[in-house]
Amino acid sequence: MALLRHTPTEVKERKALMINPAKTCQPIGAMYAALGINGCLPHSHGSQGCCAYHRSTLTRHYKEPISAATSSFTEGASVFGGQANLLQAVNNIFTVYDPEVIAVHTTCLSETIGDDLNQIRDKAIKTGKIPEGKTMIGAPTPSYVGSHVTGFSNMVKAMAQLAEPTGKKSGKVNIIPGWVEPCDMEEIKRLAAMVGVDITLFPDTSGVLNGPLTGEYKMFPDGGVTVKELKAAGDATGTLALGEWCSADAARWLDSKCKVPCSVLDMPFGLAATDRFIDVLRTVAGVPVPDTVAYERGQLVDMISDMHQYFYGKRVALWGDPDQLISMTEFLVSLDMHPVYVVTGTPGKKFEKRIKEICADKPFEVKVKAKGDMFLMHQWIKNEPVDLLIGNTYGKYIARDEDIPMVRWGFPILDRQGHQYFPTVGYKGGLRLLEMILGRLLDRKDRDDPEQKFELVL
Amino acid sequence: MAKTKKVVQLMPTDIKDELLKKYPPKVARKRAKQIMINEATESEAPPEIVANVRTIPGIITMRGCTYAGCKGVIMGPTRDIVNITHGPIGCGFYSWLTRRNQTDAGEDGDNYMPYCFSTDMQDQDIIFGGEKKLEAAIQEAYDLFHPKGICVFATCPVGLIGDDIHAVTRKMKAKFGDCNVFAFSCEGYKGVSQSAGHHIANNQVFTHLVGENTEPKEGEYKINLLGEYNIGGDGFEIDRVLKKCGITNLATFSGNSTYDQFASAQHADLSCVMCHRSINYVADMLETKYGIPWIKVNFIGAKSTAKSLRKIAEYFGDKALIDKVEAVIAEEMLEVESVISDVRPRTDGKTAMLFVGGSRAHHYQDLFEEMGMKTLSAGYEFAHRDDYEGRHVIPDLKVDADSRNIEEIEVEADSEFYNPRKTPEEIKALEDAGYKFKHYEGLNPQMDKGTLIIDDLNQYEAEKLVEIMKPDIFCAGIKEKFSIQKTGVPMKQLHSYDSGGPYAGFKGAVNFYKEIDRLVGSKVWSYMKAPWQENPELTATFVWE
């Protein structure tokens, strides 16, 4: 029997009830971003349930320790303000855990009561709660605005705001990778190094959330962008922001406040988006692209041509976060696949417009929704099925009910591993995406083909 | 490969001092009262622990919130009620399928558990209030699903902006007529932990649901199983055993439960309490209002399961049942004994630490004892003093400022349905024979002298404890799992069971023995150093042999 057996085929408009969201709330994004700062302890300024939930979800996704502290609001603090809680917390955190940085984000609780993070930070500095040489940053992340992506963006902007331009250009390029996996961040660094561009990547969770088992637990692993590097971000020659939703705010802030020009690009998932990333990278740095990069690109094109018959015309439903979905939709279209349903829970009119542009003049109609939910997407699927699902773990209920193969990609993935070790950005990442998509489609073909048509070679 | 083990000769007082050393003075004073050396020397007063007090900000607690205790724990596992979270999207999202409350949708097939329902509050709802949106959401849920019940759960901002969720639900209940709609004021900031959420859930379920179905229920030896959430199928295993014994479980609160089970709980003749912390309120209220006595049971551990079954049989006092229970125990113990005799040589003498919610840090010690493993240290996230020291301390408990606003409801004997299940003489006869009603002795008596009992353990203390005492296994939750394992100590989650289970009942015990044997014996812990790190003195010489 179907697991989602109460989902009717008939679509009725809903104005108030969200069912099976394709998003979660801001602070978890801020927590993830903060983990990409070297020596940083994220801090949740709210009641402690939020922090426990965010840590648990990130831990289930990464199978890695996620440390974060909380102000642990009580009812009293919720009515009279949480300043005392945060000041106590800062003192306890530096005394007991000794991070280099505390990155504070807020919740719907502290935002509703109107706690002012800047004012509390000033108070913490004045009262000597922040030791010499240590840093505290803060980002407001109200859960009732936007989504987890907005929270990520807000914390990345708070990181950019550490910039202290000296007036002397460093010759480095800032790259803001957006909400991608630690291995994706590693891959972006590898590509930049291949092209020969000196970059500052922030945030950078590689080495933090994909670390080894050695017998020693380090609350603050070696990875992450340093405060020193963030301060120097104001001297960069420019900033590449990957993803409008995740990264543009921080890049634009550096542009307007520190005169560091920026380009906002799509996240480099798939062939064309990676092409544009490499092309802009070489242009802003004024360097030629080595053949090794073109070689990797050629491998990806080769695989597309080799296996094109299996991609051609396949209908795909995908859900997740806007920046990732835009590049993925473009990639699927370039494979002659048909991304027919595209849903994000994150608000933003521009999303629907971009997806429609990418799919314009293609031989299929795309149903796209921002601020949508997976209940609606499932109803679309029930009305007209698809060949493949691409999205986070919550899709497995639809995959099972409707018997559709599914590629796990995005956040959160709670029931498989690999996503933190094997990138899906860049040309290499494109190969891996193709491998995953083909694997699912061909497993299904092998399962469904009648005995006479079951074949060894595909 | 056996780990080389540091012989620990530290006194518990030294360990306690070590844990407290790094704290600012105020924090150290507070934590000192939450870290107890069990059965301290005779010259001292019996040790008291401070529990159920506010969390220290910034300390990296394991605790969650009231919403989690109410929606996530108590109401979440009920399959045929539509649970709507009134708040921004996070709370609903994070409590969506993340606790492993298994369910069997049965013949009617109603099962809303794979769904997440939320009002997804936006900034305009915070500014102008969310009551209209909540009302519309309830209507949409009703139109789409026509469930028996709709429950609404408040989150942090709801209390602050003053949405009257109870007025909205009353209105909708009256409007529908055939759907019970009620709400829980379980804002995350209430109380100091999940515990407040349990209490709020108990009160509302008892007020709005229990007793609603007045049709008598068929069955012999009718019980309720209170505080069992069917994590990893625990409740299924307990039900299997009960059924085999001929005992009828009318209502489980609330694993694999239904609306009707809650509504019919007053037809049982005995309440059996598994998780004392989360459900003792309902147990007391069932007794006061309907005359149903309650006993503490524990189905974690094969011997505990046998003991609990005997306790139930003794209550009913029927020879047929007593004989049946003995026969079932004898039959079930065959497999248990065969597995334990295989496993025990490898687990005997090993050590464990348990830091779990409000009940399992105690219950699971029975399983470890059966395996010959000693518990060095244990504690709860959010239990109260009675869960540590036993219910006899309840009259001494003081409700502090942080928990004072959790509603206490008054229940009276029902004028129509109150029916004492035993006469005072029968109760006395049982008690004279050593039978204990309404009795829970708590965690402390089970633990050895000199062990450390720690309330609201935090990240720093967990690391220190493991570093000093080097347990063979550490049990806690997902947030603790990987930091402990990075140090090379096996970690077992006793909330989610690491996707395993069941661990309750006889089959559960067998599963647990095998799982712990696997974990403490896994070779992976010997792979942490590369050969060149084990023998670094061999430097660059070419050796081909």
Side-chain angles (χ1 to χ4, degrees), chain B residues 185-250:
Chain B
S185 288
C186 53
E187 285 86 348
Y189 55 73
K190 290 199 168 161
V192 297
S193 68
Q194 290 93 313
S195 180
H198 302 149
H199 198 162
I200 290 163
N202 277 236
N203 288 351
Q204 292 300 86
V205 166
F206 198 81
T207 307
H208 293 275
L209 199 39
V210 170
E212 198 185 69
N213 186 358
T214 51
E215 289 286 306
K217 287 277 168 183
E218 295 294 309
E220 271 192 311
Y221 316 120
K222 286 177 281 197
I223 65 158
N224 295 319
L225 184 59
L226 303 184
E228 162 50 53
Y229 302 98
N230 201 24
I231 303 289
D234 277 353
F236 290 150
E237 165 64 6
I238 298 170
D239 279 343
R240 180 189 72 83
V241 175
L242 290 174
K243 206 173 162 192
K244 203 168 164 183
C245 295
I247 298 163
T248 309
N249 178 13
L250 285 191

Side-chain angles (χ1 to χ4, degrees), chain B residues 161-470:
Chain B
I161 64 172
D163 273 4
D164 188 344
I165 55 174
H166 302 287
V168 173
T169 50
R170 268 197 306 275
K171 178 180 164 189
M172 299 312 276
K173 180 180 175 173
K175 183 179 176 191
F176 299 147
D178 62 350
C179 175
N180 190 358
V181 191
F182 60 101
F184 299 80
S185 288
C186 53
E187 285 86 348
Y189 55 73
K190 290 199 168 161
V192 297
S193 68
Q194 290 93 313
S195 180
H198 302 149
H199 198 162
I200 290 163
N202 277 236
N203 288 351
Q204 292 300 86
V205 166
F206 198 81
T207 307
H208 293 275
L209 199 39
V210 170
E212 198 185 69
N213 186 358
T214 51
E215 289 286 306
K217 287 277 168 183
E218 295 294 309
E220 271 192 311
Y221 316 120
K222 286 177 281 197
I223 65 158
N224 295 319
L225 184 59
L226 303 184
E228 162 50 53
Y229 302 98
N230 201 24
I231 303 289
D234 277 353
F236 290 150
E237 165 64 6
I238 298 170
D239 279 343
R240 180 189 72 83
V241 175
L242 290 174
K243 206 173 162 192
K244 203 168 164 183
C245 295
I247 298 163
T248 309
N249 178 13
L250 285 191
T252 303
F253 282 55
S254 54
N256 189 34
S257 66
T258 58
Y259 184 97
D260 185 60
Q261 287 187 26
F262 289 136
S264 310
Q266 82 284 11
H267 297 300
D269 294 319
L270 175 69
S271 292
C272 300
V273 172
M274 268 290 282
C275 171
H276 175 260
R277 182 68 268 135
S278 66
I279 212 79
N280 73 87
Y281 317 96
V282 158
D284 279 343
M285 290 188 283
L286 279 169
E287 176 159 25
T288 310
K289 188 167 178 182
Y290 298 106
I292 307 170
W294 71 263
I295 56 169
K296 180 75 183 69
V297 294
N298 177 20
F299 289 102
I300 303 296
K303 284 182 195 156
S304 328
T305 300
K307 201 170 141 192
S308 296
L309 291 171
R310 288 185 177 120
K311 222 163 144 182
I312 296 170
E314 193 183 349
Y315 170 81
F316 288 105
D318 200 330
K319 177 138 193 325
L321 177 64
I322 293 167
D323 290 348
K324 184 74 194 165
V325 160
E326 289 306 328
V328 169
I329 292 169
E331 190 189 329
E332 295 282 334
M333 284 305 285
L334 290 176
E335 190 194 4
V336 170
E337 273 155 14
S338 115
V339 175
I340 202 75
S341 63
D342 170 39
V343 163
R344 185 146 176 163
R346 292 184 296 275
T347 53
D348 208 26
K350 288 207 159 39
T351 56
M353 290 185 182
L354 293 86
F355 293 93
V356 203
S359 132
R360 292 183 190 156
H362 180 194
H363 287 162
Y364 274 76
Q365 294 193 25
D366 290 352
L367 273 168
F368 283 118
E369 271 170 26
E370 288 170 10
M371 305 175 79
M373 292 176 68
K374 180 179 153 64
T375 302
L376 299 174
S377 183
Y380 298 121
E381 281 172 59
F382 51 73
H384 301 192
R385 271 184 63 201
D386 41 322
D387 304 294
Y388 287 104
E389 298 171 48
R391 282 181 65 92
H392 64 274
V393 302
I394 289 178
D396 306 334
L397 297 186
K398 288 182 202 77
V399 179
D400 72 5
D402 294 319
S403 299
R404 197 172 295 142
N405 288 344
I406 309 303
E407 196 191 8
E408 295 278 350
I409 58 171
E410 289 296 325
V411 175
E412 288 174 358
D414 192 286
S415 55
E416 196 178 341
F417 295 106
Y418 181 80
N419 164 29
R421 301 318 202 254
K422 298 261 180 207
T423 63
E425 295 75 38
E426 285 169 331
I427 295 271
K428 188 170 183 302
L430 276 166
E431 282 179 338
D432 288 347
Y435 204 85
K436 284 171 177 161
F437 289 100
K438 283 182 81 145
H439 175 82
Y440 177 47
E441 64 174 9
L443 163 86
N444 300 2
Q446 177 143 9
M447 293 187 66
D448 289 349
K449 188 178 165 79
T451 52
L452 284 168
I453 297 171
I454 307 180
D455 183 63
D456 188 16
L457 186 84
N458 58 53
Q459 175 67 36
Y460 169 73
E461 290 165 10
E463 274 175 54
K464 270 278 160 207
L465 272 183
V466 167
E467 181 192 313
I468 298 170
M469 298 172 88
K470 300 250 181 283

Side-chain angles (χ1 to χ4, degrees), chain A residues 5 7 15 18 20 97 214, chain B residues 59 109 115-116 118 140 529:
Chain A
R5 65 191 60 153
T7 304
K15 285 201 163 75
M18 164 83 77
N20 300 354
Y97 296 105
T214 60
Chain B
I59 206 73
Y115 293 90
C116 165
S118 172
E140 287 173 5
K529 293 280 172 269

